[in-house]
Amino acid sequence: MNAPLYSFPGQSGAAARGAEPTDSAAPAEPAAPVAPALRTVSAVLAQSQAGLGLEDLERDLVGLGPVKARIRDIAALLVIDKLRANFALQAQAPNLHMCFTGNPGTGKTTVALRMAEILHRLGYVRKGHLVAVTRDDLVGQYIGHTAPKTREVLKRAMGGVLFIDEAYYLYRPENERDYGQEAIEILLQVMENQRQDLVVILAGYKDRMDTFFRCNPGLSSRIAHHVDFPDYSNGELLLIADQMLAIQNYQFGPGARAAFAQYLARRIKQPHFANARSVRNALDRCRLRQASRLFVDPQREFTAAELSTIAEADVRASRVFHSGPEPSTESST
């Protein structure tokens, strides 16, 4: 019988191969307990703790129903692959390169981090770390500069996940002196030849990624999983605001949460809205106003509740309620 493609933590050498012990004149030592063969999905999830990663994904991320379902599908494929390996049902290692598409602030980088963790727990990447880059990290500005930059990034990412945001900027056909195509060619080679040691996730706006793939069919053919991230609803954005405040030991005071809901309803219609990223920036400005409000009373002794409460006035002071949108430093990606 052929050896399985994958060994599991705690299995090595003869134990992993199922070899028989050899005869010896020396007194036999008590045999080490042999872990039972994995035969169920729950056994694989429990042994690898990948189930915890899926539970964290479900619990910690608001909304994103279609995204979570697709990540569970990918995890299911990998778990069943592990079970098949126990029966020596060998197959090629699955292609795990992915494309995440969606508007800014929809959780693409966060899900990529969780995906790296799940892949590591299931044994499909050695380290489970995420290296997030953009074009500037890969493409040089002069001849001979791009290849070393790209290879250095790939070296750092080996054994984990390489996340390339705004990947379509690697391809600029209008500029004959652009070196992005060189980075793409190196990526193509690594994605094909070292896919057992690196997972690449390309990310960006869906329409631009579609154009990018049409112009680079070699990359498109190497992407097995396309995951589209929907925008958050107003209610989901408000839940995200609650989570963000709780993490920082803040809370909405009387009327402040309703005011923030009104803020979101106005802000979402204005330019450069970036979903959860815009919520985070808005809360940062609320905290700034709260601090300024408290700062003007230097002799007052504050309670913990006062120091951790965002008042309705802190929210309604936003320009969104008055002359227009607040100055935005948010990325358009």
Side-chain angles (χ1 to χ4, degrees):
M1 182 178 292
N2 294 329
L5 281 180
Y6 307 100
S7 62
F8 298 94
Q11 288 185 315
S12 62
R17 296 189 296 272
E20 296 294 332
T22 58
D23 292 333
S24 173
E29 296 181 1
V34 178
L38 300 177
R39 295 289 187 264
T40 67
V41 168
S42 60
V44 175
L45 291 176
Q47 186 232 43
S48 65
Q49 296 189 322
L52 297 177
L54 292 172
E55 291 172 7
D56 291 344
L57 187 74
E58 184 66 38
R59 181 188 64 249
D60 297 341
L61 271 67
V62 173
L64 299 180
V67 174
K68 293 175 181 177
R70 188 59 184 274
I71 299 304
R72 285 194 298 269
D73 288 344
I74 295 171
L77 170 67
L78 303 183
V79 169
I80 297 303
D81 195 47
K82 293 289 187 186
L83 291 175
R84 285 171 51 85
N86 278 306
F87 291 94
L89 298 173
Q90 300 186 15
Q92 280 190 327
N95 179 355
L96 296 173
H97 300 314
M98 307 176 195
C99 177
F100 288 178
T101 54
N103 288 326
T106 48
K108 296 186 290 295
T109 305
T110 301
V111 172
L113 280 164
R114 299 300 176 85
M115 194 73 243
E117 176 187 337
I118 292 170
L119 293 174
H120 177 57
R121 288 181 173 180
L122 286 170
Y124 284 88
V125 292
R126 291 181 290 113
K127 300 178 181 178
H129 66 300
L130 180 83
V131 175
V133 299
T134 63
R135 171 192 162 91
D136 289 343
D137 299 295
L138 298 168
V139 181
Q141 298 179 351
Y142 50 83
I143 295 175
H145 192 203
T146 293
K149 288 188 70 172
T150 301
R151 292 193 176 105
E152 176 59 30
V153 167
L154 290 168
K155 180 180 178 181
R156 287 193 286 119
M158 282 298 168
V161 174
L162 175 61
F163 181 85
I164 306 177
D165 200 11
E166 299 179 299
Y168 35 75
Y169 284 134
L170 292 175
Y171 182 68
R172 291 180 173 175
E174 72 282 358
N175 185 352
E176 295 180 357
R177 300 183 62 183
D178 185 71
Y179 305 113
Q181 189 62 40
E182 184 179 0
I184 291 174
E185 291 171 359
I186 296 172
L187 281 171
L188 284 171
Q189 294 174 3
V190 172
M191 289 172 70
E192 181 63 27
N193 299 333
Q194 295 178 262
R195 65 181 186 175
Q196 293 182 334
D197 199 34
L198 179 70
V199 172
V200 175
I201 300 178
L202 307 178
Y205 289 111
K206 180 172 175 51
D207 55 345
R208 297 187 188 181
M209 289 304 301
D210 289 343
T211 300
F212 176 66
F213 285 135
R214 284 196 298 269
C215 297
N216 296 273
L219 269 176
S220 179
S221 65
R222 286 166 173 79
I223 299 295
H225 306 283
H226 292 260
V227 185
D228 189 45
F229 287 64
D231 288 331
Y232 291 108
S233 68
N234 286 27
E236 290 170 341
L237 291 169
L238 193 55
L239 289 175
I240 289 171
D242 290 334
Q243 284 188 352
M244 289 180 174
L245 285 178
I247 289 171
Q248 300 181 75
N249 293 307
Y250 279 87
Q251 61 191 4
F252 284 121
R257 192 173 190 271
F260 197 78
Q262 294 174 18
Y263 167 89
L264 289 172
R266 296 175 180 230
R267 180 67 183 89
I268 200 170
K269 299 176 183 178
Q270 296 178 345
H272 309 299
F273 182 72
N275 286 280
R277 194 178 305 165
S278 288
V279 171
R280 183 184 65 230
N281 291 342
L283 292 177
D284 284 345
R285 289 189 287 266
C286 287
R287 291 175 56 210
L288 185 68
R289 297 186 198 103
Q290 183 241 30
S292 296
R293 174 171 54 82
L294 301 179
F295 184 76
V296 297
D297 197 351
Q299 303 304 320
R300 180 180 173 183
E301 293 187 6
F302 296 106
T303 65
E306 290 171 327
L307 293 171
S308 58
T309 298
I310 301 296
E312 180 178 1
D314 301 328
V315 178
R316 292 197 179 278
S318 167
R319 294 186 190 180
V320 168
F321 289 103
H322 305 289
S323 60
E326 299 186 59
S328 175
T329 59
E330 295 158 5
S331 168
S332 61
T333 63

